[in-house]
Each structure stands twice: as C-alpha cells, then as structure tokens.
Amino acid sequence: MAGEVVRTKTFVPVAANFIVDLAHKALAERNEFRIALSGGNTPRPVYSEIARIGRDLPWERTLITFGDERCVPPDDAQSNFRMAGEALFVPVSVPEKSIMRMRGEIDPAIAAQQYQDDVDLLATQRGEQIYRHDLILLGLGDDGHTASLFPGSAALNEATRRVVANFVSKLNAWRLTFTFPLINHARHVCFLVNASKQAKLTERVISGDPQFPASRVNPTAGKLTWILGE
C-alpha cells in the first residue's frame, strides 16, 4: 500500500491545490484531464475550493467520472452527482459533455453495464484497452471501505469487470462502483481523509492490512497519495 502520505492542518486548500496542479500537468502533457470524483461529506469543501481556485481551467477538456454512486435519482440528497454539481459543476459551469453520470435511478445491473460500456468506449477512442484516469479520488469509510467496495461484498473479488452493481448487506442497498482493476489502472490515486476519521484505522490501511478493502488500492503503474487532515 504505502504511497506518499501528506499530513496537513489545512486539508481543504492542500487537497484542492493538489488536484488543480495535477489537472494543469495532465492538460499540458495530454491536452485533457481525466478525473474520477468520490462522494460523501469529506470532498464537498474540496470541490468548492477547486471551483474557486480552478475557475479558469479549460473544463471543456476535462472528463469527469464517478468512482461510485448510490442507487438514487440525481436530484436525491444522497446522490454523489448532486453533491458534485452543487459544489463544483454549477459554480464553474462545467460543460455537460465533460460529465459522465452514473445512473443511480435505474436497475443497478443495467446502470453498471452502461457505465462500463461508456468508459470502455472512451478507452477505445483513445487506443487503450482499459480507460486510464489521470486521477481517481477516493475516501475511506469507518469499516475500511473505499468507493463502494465494502468488506465482505462480491465486488471485492471482481477481476475483469471495471464497473459493477454491488449489494452492501450492512446497508441493505445496492451501490454502483468502480472495481480494483479500473482503480489500480489509474495514473494517480488520491485518498482524501479528514481529521474526523479514526487515525488507527487509517494507519492500518496505509500499512496494507488486508482485512480492509481500501488497502488493496495499489496502482500497478501509477502513483498513490494520501492527504490526511489533522
């Protein structure tokens, strides 16, 4: 696991600047920036800060995907898409064509297949076997889950599909999620973990404790960064 660990008392600006700097680098090198967003409460202020400092980014040359989504309509309060829209897309007027939304309101298996098809098409158009993100943002749950890869869930064992519908027993709910084959293919993966998280859990995940799904994030030919609020 390991990777670079950044501990900071100014979590939001450090995280936002890290993302915007990576965007500029990708745009300079490849003329587009491919980012997968994470949901939950932790990244919301980070997205708002990106909207403030990254207003002049060429958003028409970004491709924004989602690492996971709750199976709810896009206007639902629990929707990761809605949160990102309020914090980032609307404030900087991100073009609709730059955003790939997971369709949480339809049958989960169909939604997952559609999303994988869309991601695979992007890869084919770019001469890639698997779509390669410049940056995938991830969070860390109190049970060691990341994206919607929960302990004991079927998606942990997925070795070929890139996007799946994953039933989470503890929530009695379906989630849509990236799988490890797609996550670990990224050029860069960054965990955003704020001070409210259990420090002992975070350290165990970083050290590679296999009982936690997040510890299985290890880009095969990319970088891993942890930004930890303190």
Side-chain angles (χ1 to χ4, degrees):
M1 188 72 183
E4 180 190 15
V5 180
V6 178
R7 303 175 193 276
T8 176
K9 288 183 167 61
T10 54
F11 175 75
V12 169
V14 166
N17 277 288
F18 170 84
I19 295 164
V20 170
D21 287 349
L22 209 58
H24 283 299
K25 183 169 178 279
L27 286 159
E29 290 178 1
R30 291 176 294 279
N31 206 35
E32 68 177 359
F33 178 51
R34 315 173 185 183
I35 181 172
L37 302 183
S38 60
N41 296 319
T42 300
R44 179 189 281 269
V46 176
Y47 298 162
S48 295
E49 180 67 3
I50 292 170
R52 189 183 73 81
I53 66 172
R55 187 168 295 279
D56 295 333
L57 276 171
W59 291 101
E60 72 282 357
R61 288 194 276 131
T62 61
L63 275 167
I64 300 170
T65 55
F66 286 83
D68 73 320
E69 183 58 279
R70 297 171 171 90
C71 291
V72 297
D75 58 353
D76 189 280
Q78 293 296 307
S79 165
N80 291 341
F81 171 78
R82 173 176 169 171
M83 182 275 284
E86 292 170 350
L88 178 59
F89 303 160
V90 173
V92 296
S93 302
V94 177
E96 201 171 306
K97 69 177 181 61
S98 292
I99 305 165
M100 281 177 54
R101 177 176 77 82
M102 286 180 162
R103 297 183 66 198
E105 72 277 18
I106 66 173
D107 177 90
I110 294 173
Q113 186 61 56
Q114 285 185 355
Y115 209 74
Q116 176 168 298
D117 290 345
D118 290 343
V119 169
D120 285 352
L121 177 61
L122 291 175
T124 300
Q125 290 169 340
R126 288 156 179 76
E128 300 169 357
Q129 283 194 308
I130 299 177
Y131 183 67
R132 193 168 192 204
H133 287 86
D134 293 307
L135 176 62
I136 294 179
L137 298 175
L138 294 174
L140 179 65
D142 292 337
D143 57 359
H145 83 265
T146 193
S148 281
L149 298 164
F150 284 79
S153 63
L156 297 183
N157 301 315
E158 183 56 55
T160 54
R161 287 181 296 172
R162 274 76 69 198
V163 184
V164 297
N166 195 31
F167 186 74
V168 183
S169 299
K170 66 182 274 187
L171 305 175
N172 192 31
W174 286 91
R175 293 282 186 90
L176 304 172
T177 187
F178 282 5
T179 61
F180 291 119
L182 183 57
I183 292 170
N184 286 330
H185 192 64
R187 289 188 175 90
H188 210 131
V189 178
C190 179
F191 279 89
L192 301 177
V193 185
N194 67 19
S196 68
K197 297 293 180 184
Q198 305 162 12
K200 285 184 179 177
L201 168 73
T202 304
E203 296 307 322
R204 285 177 68 184
V205 172
I206 291 173
S207 68
D209 190 326
Q211 72 171 291
F212 302 118
S215 71
R216 292 172 57 182
V217 174
N218 189 16
T220 50
K223 296 179 180 177
L224 176 64
T225 299
W226 288 79
I227 300 179
L228 307 179
E230 294 189 326

mmCIF file of all heavy atoms in Angstrom, residues 65-105:
data_model
loop_
_atom_site.group_PDB
_atom_site.id
_atom_site.type_symbol
_atom_site.label_atom_id
_atom_site.label_comp_id
_atom_site.label_asym_id
_atom_site.label_seq_id
_atom_site.Cartn_x
_atom_site.Cartn_y
_atom_site.Cartn_z
ATOM 1 N N THR A 65 -15.640 11.484 -14.273
ATOM 2 C CA THR A 65 -16.401 10.282 -13.975
ATOM 3 C C THR A 65 -16.611 10.202 -12.461
ATOM 4 O O THR A 65 -16.147 11.054 -11.707
ATOM 5 C CB THR A 65 -15.678 9.018 -14.474
ATOM 6 O OG1 THR A 65 -14.357 9.007 -13.916
ATOM 7 C CG2 THR A 65 -15.572 9.012 -15.999
ATOM 8 N N PHE A 66 -17.314 9.155 -12.029
ATOM 9 C CA PHE A 66 -17.577 8.944 -10.605
ATOM 10 C C PHE A 66 -17.123 7.555 -10.202
ATOM 11 O O PHE A 66 -17.441 6.570 -10.872
ATOM 12 C CB PHE A 66 -19.069 9.114 -10.306
ATOM 13 C CG PHE A 66 -19.535 10.539 -10.331
ATOM 14 C CD1 PHE A 66 -19.859 11.152 -11.533
ATOM 15 C CD2 PHE A 66 -19.617 11.280 -9.167
ATOM 16 C CE1 PHE A 66 -20.270 12.478 -11.571
ATOM 17 C CE2 PHE A 66 -20.020 12.607 -9.191
ATOM 18 C CZ PHE A 66 -20.344 13.208 -10.395
ATOM 19 N N GLY A 67 -16.381 7.466 -9.102
ATOM 20 C CA GLY A 67 -15.901 6.177 -8.636
ATOM 21 C C GLY A 67 -16.987 5.287 -8.077
ATOM 22 O O GLY A 67 -16.872 4.064 -8.085
ATOM 23 N N ASP A 68 -18.057 5.914 -7.598
ATOM 24 C CA ASP A 68 -19.210 5.139 -7.139
ATOM 25 C C ASP A 68 -20.417 6.052 -7.043
ATOM 26 O O ASP A 68 -20.303 7.278 -7.146
ATOM 27 C CB ASP A 68 -18.930 4.438 -5.813
ATOM 28 C CG ASP A 68 -18.903 5.390 -4.616
ATOM 29 O OD1 ASP A 68 -18.365 6.512 -4.748
ATOM 30 O OD2 ASP A 68 -19.413 5.010 -3.551
ATOM 31 N N GLU A 69 -21.567 5.423 -6.854
ATOM 32 C CA GLU A 69 -22.809 6.190 -6.730
ATOM 33 C C GLU A 69 -23.835 5.385 -5.950
ATOM 34 O O GLU A 69 -23.875 4.158 -6.030
ATOM 35 C CB GLU A 69 -23.361 6.558 -8.121
ATOM 36 C CG GLU A 69 -24.620 7.418 -8.122
ATOM 37 C CD GLU A 69 -24.463 8.755 -7.397
ATOM 38 O OE1 GLU A 69 -24.561 8.741 -6.143
ATOM 39 O OE2 GLU A 69 -24.258 9.774 -8.063
ATOM 40 N N ARG A 70 -24.644 6.099 -5.209
ATOM 41 C CA ARG A 70 -25.783 5.470 -4.536
ATOM 42 C C ARG A 70 -26.896 5.264 -5.558
ATOM 43 O O ARG A 70 -27.003 6.026 -6.522
ATOM 44 C CB ARG A 70 -26.252 6.348 -3.384
ATOM 45 C CG ARG A 70 -25.189 6.520 -2.295
ATOM 46 C CD ARG A 70 -25.603 7.571 -1.282
ATOM 47 N NE ARG A 70 -24.705 7.603 -0.132
ATOM 48 C CZ ARG A 70 -23.624 8.347 -0.046
ATOM 49 N NH1 ARG A 70 -23.277 9.131 -1.067
ATOM 50 N NH2 ARG A 70 -22.862 8.323 1.039
ATOM 51 N N CYS A 71 -27.704 4.253 -5.341
ATOM 52 C CA CYS A 71 -28.783 3.958 -6.295
ATOM 53 C C CYS A 71 -30.011 4.810 -5.983
ATOM 54 O O CYS A 71 -31.037 4.337 -5.471
ATOM 55 C CB CYS A 71 -29.101 2.469 -6.291
ATOM 56 S SG CYS A 71 -27.759 1.493 -7.018
ATOM 57 N N VAL A 72 -29.864 6.089 -6.287
ATOM 58 C CA VAL A 72 -30.905 7.095 -6.074
ATOM 59 C C VAL A 72 -30.953 8.014 -7.290
ATOM 60 O O VAL A 72 -29.999 8.069 -8.072
ATOM 61 C CB VAL A 72 -30.632 7.930 -4.798
ATOM 62 C CG1 VAL A 72 -30.669 7.053 -3.549
ATOM 63 C CG2 VAL A 72 -29.283 8.648 -4.899
ATOM 64 N N PRO A 73 -32.052 8.754 -7.483
ATOM 65 C CA PRO A 73 -32.113 9.714 -8.593
ATOM 66 C C PRO A 73 -31.074 10.824 -8.428
ATOM 67 O O PRO A 73 -30.600 11.078 -7.310
ATOM 68 C CB PRO A 73 -33.541 10.278 -8.496
ATOM 69 C CG PRO A 73 -34.310 9.258 -7.715
ATOM 70 C CD PRO A 73 -33.330 8.664 -6.753
ATOM 71 N N PRO A 74 -30.720 11.500 -9.526
ATOM 72 C CA PRO A 74 -29.649 12.502 -9.471
ATOM 73 C C PRO A 74 -29.967 13.730 -8.628
ATOM 74 O O PRO A 74 -29.059 14.471 -8.253
ATOM 75 C CB PRO A 74 -29.452 12.885 -10.947
ATOM 76 C CG PRO A 74 -30.727 12.510 -11.622
ATOM 77 C CD PRO A 74 -31.234 11.308 -10.900
ATOM 78 N N ASP A 75 -31.257 13.944 -8.332
ATOM 79 C CA ASP A 75 -31.604 15.104 -7.500
ATOM 80 C C ASP A 75 -31.792 14.724 -6.034
ATOM 81 O O ASP A 75 -32.145 15.563 -5.204
ATOM 82 C CB ASP A 75 -32.869 15.787 -8.039
ATOM 83 C CG ASP A 75 -34.065 14.845 -8.111
ATOM 84 O OD1 ASP A 75 -33.892 13.632 -7.867
ATOM 85 O OD2 ASP A 75 -35.178 15.323 -8.414
ATOM 86 N N ASP A 76 -31.528 13.458 -5.688
ATOM 87 C CA ASP A 76 -31.676 12.994 -4.313
ATOM 88 C C ASP A 76 -30.557 13.572 -3.449
ATOM 89 O O ASP A 76 -29.427 13.740 -3.909
ATOM 90 C CB ASP A 76 -31.626 11.462 -4.281
ATOM 91 C CG ASP A 76 -31.992 10.896 -2.925
ATOM 92 O OD1 ASP A 76 -31.122 10.894 -2.031
ATOM 93 O OD2 ASP A 76 -33.145 10.444 -2.764
ATOM 94 N N ALA A 77 -30.865 13.842 -2.199
ATOM 95 C CA ALA A 77 -29.873 14.419 -1.284
ATOM 96 C C ALA A 77 -28.671 13.502 -1.082
ATOM 97 O O ALA A 77 -27.573 13.972 -0.743
ATOM 98 C CB ALA A 77 -30.522 14.724 0.061
ATOM 99 N N GLN A 78 -28.836 12.180 -1.289
ATOM 100 C CA GLN A 78 -27.748 11.225 -1.101
ATOM 101 C C GLN A 78 -26.878 11.050 -2.353
ATOM 102 O O GLN A 78 -25.870 10.338 -2.313
ATOM 103 C CB GLN A 78 -28.324 9.866 -0.705
ATOM 104 C CG GLN A 78 -28.993 9.843 0.656
ATOM 105 C CD GLN A 78 -27.996 10.136 1.770
ATOM 106 O OE1 GLN A 78 -26.960 9.489 1.871
ATOM 107 N NE2 GLN A 78 -28.303 11.134 2.590
ATOM 108 N N SER A 79 -27.272 11.672 -3.461
ATOM 109 C CA SER A 79 -26.575 11.466 -4.727
ATOM 110 C C SER A 79 -25.196 12.125 -4.741
ATOM 111 O O SER A 79 -25.059 13.325 -4.458
ATOM 112 C CB SER A 79 -27.425 12.032 -5.874
ATOM 113 O OG SER A 79 -26.673 12.160 -7.054
ATOM 114 N N ASN A 80 -24.176 11.344 -5.106
ATOM 115 C CA ASN A 80 -22.832 11.915 -5.270
ATOM 116 C C ASN A 80 -22.810 12.927 -6.411
ATOM 117 O O ASN A 80 -22.101 13.944 -6.346
ATOM 118 C CB ASN A 80 -21.817 10.804 -5.544
ATOM 119 C CG ASN A 80 -21.582 9.915 -4.335
ATOM 120 O OD1 ASN A 80 -21.875 10.294 -3.197
ATOM 121 N ND2 ASN A 80 -21.059 8.725 -4.579
ATOM 122 N N PHE A 81 -23.572 12.632 -7.458
ATOM 123 C CA PHE A 81 -23.663 13.555 -8.600
ATOM 124 C C PHE A 81 -24.230 14.906 -8.161
ATOM 125 O O PHE A 81 -23.712 15.958 -8.541
ATOM 126 C CB PHE A 81 -24.530 12.944 -9.693
ATOM 127 C CG PHE A 81 -24.866 13.888 -10.808
ATOM 128 C CD1 PHE A 81 -23.952 14.192 -11.797
ATOM 129 C CD2 PHE A 81 -26.115 14.501 -10.857
ATOM 130 C CE1 PHE A 81 -24.258 15.078 -12.824
ATOM 131 C CE2 PHE A 81 -26.435 15.390 -11.881
ATOM 132 C CZ PHE A 81 -25.500 15.674 -12.856
ATOM 133 N N ARG A 82 -25.308 14.866 -7.379
ATOM 134 C CA ARG A 82 -25.899 16.126 -6.923
ATOM 135 C C ARG A 82 -24.897 16.931 -6.096
ATOM 136 O O ARG A 82 -24.746 18.144 -6.288
ATOM 137 C CB ARG A 82 -27.160 15.851 -6.098
ATOM 138 C CG ARG A 82 -27.725 17.110 -5.459
ATOM 139 C CD ARG A 82 -29.018 16.874 -4.718
ATOM 140 N NE ARG A 82 -29.363 18.046 -3.913
ATOM 141 C CZ ARG A 82 -30.512 18.220 -3.280
ATOM 142 N NH1 ARG A 82 -31.453 17.290 -3.339
ATOM 143 N NH2 ARG A 82 -30.739 19.298 -2.566
ATOM 144 N N MET A 83 -24.192 16.260 -5.175
ATOM 145 C CA MET A 83 -23.220 16.961 -4.344
ATOM 146 C C MET A 83 -22.146 17.625 -5.203
ATOM 147 O O MET A 83 -21.809 18.800 -5.020
ATOM 148 C CB MET A 83 -22.598 15.988 -3.345
ATOM 149 C CG MET A 83 -21.587 16.619 -2.390
ATOM 150 S SD MET A 83 -19.904 16.719 -3.058
ATOM 151 C CE MET A 83 -19.392 15.002 -2.877
ATOM 152 N N ALA A 84 -21.604 16.873 -6.174
ATOM 153 C CA ALA A 84 -20.560 17.429 -7.034
ATOM 154 C C ALA A 84 -21.103 18.570 -7.884
ATOM 155 O O ALA A 84 -20.394 19.543 -8.155
ATOM 156 C CB ALA A 84 -19.980 16.329 -7.923
ATOM 157 N N GLY A 85 -22.349 18.444 -8.285
ATOM 158 C CA GLY A 85 -22.977 19.503 -9.071
ATOM 159 C C GLY A 85 -23.067 20.801 -8.295
ATOM 160 O O GLY A 85 -22.706 21.878 -8.791
ATOM 161 N N GLU A 86 -23.542 20.689 -7.058
ATOM 162 C CA GLU A 86 -23.712 21.882 -6.228
ATOM 163 C C GLU A 86 -22.372 22.526 -5.880
ATOM 164 O O GLU A 86 -22.246 23.756 -5.872
ATOM 165 C CB GLU A 86 -24.459 21.511 -4.942
ATOM 166 C CG GLU A 86 -25.910 21.112 -5.173
ATOM 167 C CD GLU A 86 -26.573 20.531 -3.944
ATOM 168 O OE1 GLU A 86 -25.875 20.248 -2.942
ATOM 169 O OE2 GLU A 86 -27.806 20.344 -3.963
ATOM 170 N N ALA A 87 -21.375 21.701 -5.595
ATOM 171 C CA ALA A 87 -20.091 22.226 -5.125
ATOM 172 C C ALA A 87 -19.170 22.669 -6.254
ATOM 173 O O ALA A 87 -18.389 23.608 -6.088
ATOM 174 C CB ALA A 87 -19.385 21.176 -4.265
ATOM 175 N N LEU A 88 -19.265 21.997 -7.426
ATOM 176 C CA LEU A 88 -18.275 22.232 -8.476
ATOM 177 C C LEU A 88 -18.874 22.522 -9.849
ATOM 178 O O LEU A 88 -18.547 23.545 -10.467
ATOM 179 C CB LEU A 88 -17.351 21.014 -8.584
ATOM 180 C CG LEU A 88 -16.268 21.035 -9.664
ATOM 181 C CD1 LEU A 88 -15.323 22.212 -9.479
ATOM 182 C CD2 LEU A 88 -15.494 19.724 -9.687
ATOM 183 N N PHE A 89 -19.732 21.638 -10.353
ATOM 184 C CA PHE A 89 -20.181 21.753 -11.751
ATOM 185 C C PHE A 89 -20.917 23.059 -12.022
ATOM 186 O O PHE A 89 -20.636 23.742 -13.012
ATOM 187 C CB PHE A 89 -21.087 20.580 -12.135
ATOM 188 C CG PHE A 89 -20.486 19.217 -11.952
ATOM 189 C CD1 PHE A 89 -21.295 18.089 -11.852
ATOM 190 C CD2 PHE A 89 -19.119 19.044 -11.866
ATOM 191 C CE1 PHE A 89 -20.755 16.833 -11.680
ATOM 192 C CE2 PHE A 89 -18.557 17.782 -11.691
ATOM 193 C CZ PHE A 89 -19.387 16.680 -11.593
ATOM 194 N N VAL A 90 -21.855 23.407 -11.152
ATOM 195 C CA VAL A 90 -22.645 24.623 -11.365
ATOM 196 C C VAL A 90 -21.797 25.885 -11.168
ATOM 197 O O VAL A 90 -21.819 26.786 -12.014
ATOM 198 C CB VAL A 90 -23.896 24.638 -10.465
ATOM 199 C CG1 VAL A 90 -24.614 25.983 -10.563
ATOM 200 C CG2 VAL A 90 -24.851 23.505 -10.861
ATOM 201 N N PRO A 91 -21.017 25.974 -10.075
ATOM 202 C CA PRO A 91 -20.221 27.190 -9.863
ATOM 203 C C PRO A 91 -19.255 27.531 -10.999
ATOM 204 O O PRO A 91 -19.026 28.713 -11.275
ATOM 205 C CB PRO A 91 -19.460 26.903 -8.563
ATOM 206 C CG PRO A 91 -20.344 25.953 -7.823
ATOM 207 C CD PRO A 91 -20.957 25.092 -8.883
ATOM 208 N N VAL A 92 -18.666 26.517 -11.666
ATOM 209 C CA VAL A 92 -17.721 26.824 -12.744
ATOM 210 C C VAL A 92 -18.297 26.526 -14.132
ATOM 211 O O VAL A 92 -17.586 26.592 -15.129
ATOM 212 C CB VAL A 92 -16.370 26.084 -12.580
ATOM 213 C CG1 VAL A 92 -15.665 26.543 -11.336
ATOM 214 C CG2 VAL A 92 -16.554 24.574 -12.596
ATOM 215 N N SER A 93 -19.578 26.193 -14.185
ATOM 216 C CA SER A 93 -20.247 25.906 -15.465
ATOM 217 C C SER A 93 -19.515 24.827 -16.267
ATOM 218 O O SER A 93 -19.151 25.016 -17.432
ATOM 219 C CB SER A 93 -20.369 27.183 -16.311
ATOM 220 O OG SER A 93 -21.076 28.170 -15.609
ATOM 221 N N VAL A 94 -19.285 23.672 -15.622
ATOM 222 C CA VAL A 94 -18.666 22.549 -16.329
ATOM 223 C C VAL A 94 -19.601 22.102 -17.454
ATOM 224 O O VAL A 94 -20.787 21.868 -17.219
ATOM 225 C CB VAL A 94 -18.400 21.364 -15.376
ATOM 226 C CG1 VAL A 94 -17.814 20.186 -16.148
ATOM 227 C CG2 VAL A 94 -17.456 21.772 -14.251
ATOM 228 N N PRO A 95 -19.114 21.984 -18.694
ATOM 229 C CA PRO A 95 -19.990 21.568 -19.795
ATOM 230 C C PRO A 95 -20.563 20.171 -19.544
ATOM 231 O O PRO A 95 -19.869 19.296 -19.003
ATOM 232 C CB PRO A 95 -19.058 21.553 -21.018
ATOM 233 C CG PRO A 95 -17.878 22.371 -20.625
ATOM 234 C CD PRO A 95 -17.739 22.246 -19.154
ATOM 235 N N GLU A 96 -21.812 19.988 -19.948
ATOM 236 C CA GLU A 96 -22.479 18.701 -19.737
ATOM 237 C C GLU A 96 -21.691 17.552 -20.372
ATOM 238 O O GLU A 96 -21.628 16.446 -19.829
ATOM 239 C CB GLU A 96 -23.900 18.771 -20.319
ATOM 240 C CG GLU A 96 -24.829 17.739 -19.748
ATOM 241 C CD GLU A 96 -26.271 17.965 -20.173
ATOM 242 O OE1 GLU A 96 -26.792 19.077 -19.979
ATOM 243 O OE2 GLU A 96 -26.856 17.006 -20.722
ATOM 244 N N LYS A 97 -21.083 17.830 -21.532
ATOM 245 C CA LYS A 97 -20.359 16.766 -22.247
ATOM 246 C C LYS A 97 -19.105 16.312 -21.495
ATOM 247 O O LYS A 97 -18.543 15.259 -21.795
ATOM 248 C CB LYS A 97 -19.985 17.227 -23.657
ATOM 249 C CG LYS A 97 -18.935 18.324 -23.723
ATOM 250 C CD LYS A 97 -18.572 18.661 -25.151
ATOM 251 C CE LYS A 97 -17.495 19.734 -25.238
ATOM 252 N NZ LYS A 97 -16.218 19.346 -24.616
ATOM 253 N N SER A 98 -18.670 17.082 -20.509
ATOM 254 C CA SER A 98 -17.481 16.718 -19.730
ATOM 255 C C SER A 98 -17.803 15.816 -18.541
ATOM 256 O O SER A 98 -16.897 15.336 -17.868
ATOM 257 C CB SER A 98 -16.784 17.981 -19.207
ATOM 258 O OG SER A 98 -16.227 18.732 -20.264
ATOM 259 N N ILE A 99 -19.100 15.596 -18.278
ATOM 260 C CA ILE A 99 -19.513 14.867 -17.081
ATOM 261 C C ILE A 99 -20.176 13.557 -17.464
ATOM 262 O O ILE A 99 -21.124 13.539 -18.256
ATOM 263 C CB ILE A 99 -20.509 15.710 -16.250
ATOM 264 C CG1 ILE A 99 -19.915 17.081 -15.911
ATOM 265 C CG2 ILE A 99 -20.897 14.963 -14.968
ATOM 266 C CD1 ILE A 99 -20.937 18.092 -15.430
ATOM 267 N N MET A 100 -19.693 12.449 -16.907
ATOM 268 C CA MET A 100 -20.311 11.143 -17.096
ATOM 269 C C MET A 100 -20.957 10.718 -15.782
ATOM 270 O O MET A 100 -20.260 10.352 -14.832
ATOM 271 C CB MET A 100 -19.286 10.100 -17.537
ATOM 272 C CG MET A 100 -18.931 10.180 -19.010
ATOM 273 S SD MET A 100 -17.653 8.959 -19.450
ATOM 274 C CE MET A 100 -18.386 7.439 -18.864
ATOM 275 N N ARG A 101 -22.270 10.769 -15.754
ATOM 276 C CA ARG A 101 -23.014 10.454 -14.524
ATOM 277 C C ARG A 101 -23.382 8.976 -14.469
ATOM 278 O O ARG A 101 -23.787 8.392 -15.466
ATOM 279 C CB ARG A 101 -24.299 11.307 -14.481
ATOM 280 C CG ARG A 101 -25.193 11.018 -13.298
ATOM 281 C CD ARG A 101 -26.373 11.960 -13.264
ATOM 282 N NE ARG A 101 -27.412 11.629 -14.231
ATOM 283 C CZ ARG A 101 -28.378 10.698 -14.045
ATOM 284 N NH1 ARG A 101 -28.420 9.993 -12.923
ATOM 285 N NH2 ARG A 101 -29.297 10.489 -14.967
ATOM 286 N N MET A 102 -23.214 8.369 -13.297
ATOM 287 C CA MET A 102 -23.749 7.035 -13.068
ATOM 288 C C MET A 102 -25.264 7.154 -12.847
ATOM 289 O O MET A 102 -25.714 7.993 -12.066
ATOM 290 C CB MET A 102 -23.098 6.389 -11.842
ATOM 291 C CG MET A 102 -21.670 5.930 -12.062
ATOM 292 S SD MET A 102 -20.974 5.177 -10.556
ATOM 293 C CE MET A 102 -19.581 4.289 -11.248
ATOM 294 N N ARG A 103 -26.028 6.311 -13.512
ATOM 295 C CA ARG A 103 -27.498 6.423 -13.471
ATOM 296 C C ARG A 103 -28.057 5.619 -12.293
ATOM 297 O O ARG A 103 -28.531 4.498 -12.425
ATOM 298 C CB ARG A 103 -28.088 5.972 -14.796
ATOM 299 C CG ARG A 103 -27.654 6.855 -15.977
ATOM 300 C CD ARG A 103 -28.310 6.429 -17.259
ATOM 301 N NE ARG A 103 -29.747 6.630 -17.224
ATOM 302 C CZ ARG A 103 -30.610 6.048 -18.060
ATOM 303 N NH1 ARG A 103 -30.162 5.210 -18.988
ATOM 304 N NH2 ARG A 103 -31.902 6.282 -17.958
ATOM 305 N N GLY A 104 -28.019 6.234 -11.133
ATOM 306 C CA GLY A 104 -28.458 5.572 -9.918
ATOM 307 C C GLY A 104 -29.941 5.297 -9.834
ATOM 308 O O GLY A 104 -30.381 4.528 -8.975
ATOM 309 N N GLU A 105 -30.693 5.892 -10.756
ATOM 310 C CA GLU A 105 -32.156 5.768 -10.677
ATOM 311 C C GLU A 105 -32.712 4.575 -11.446
ATOM 312 O O GLU A 105 -33.915 4.297 -11.370
ATOM 313 C CB GLU A 105 -32.813 7.067 -11.195
ATOM 314 C CG GLU A 105 -32.737 7.299 -12.690
ATOM 315 C CD GLU A 105 -31.439 7.919 -13.174
ATOM 316 O OE1 GLU A 105 -30.434 7.878 -12.433
ATOM 317 O OE2 GLU A 105 -31.432 8.442 -14.297
#
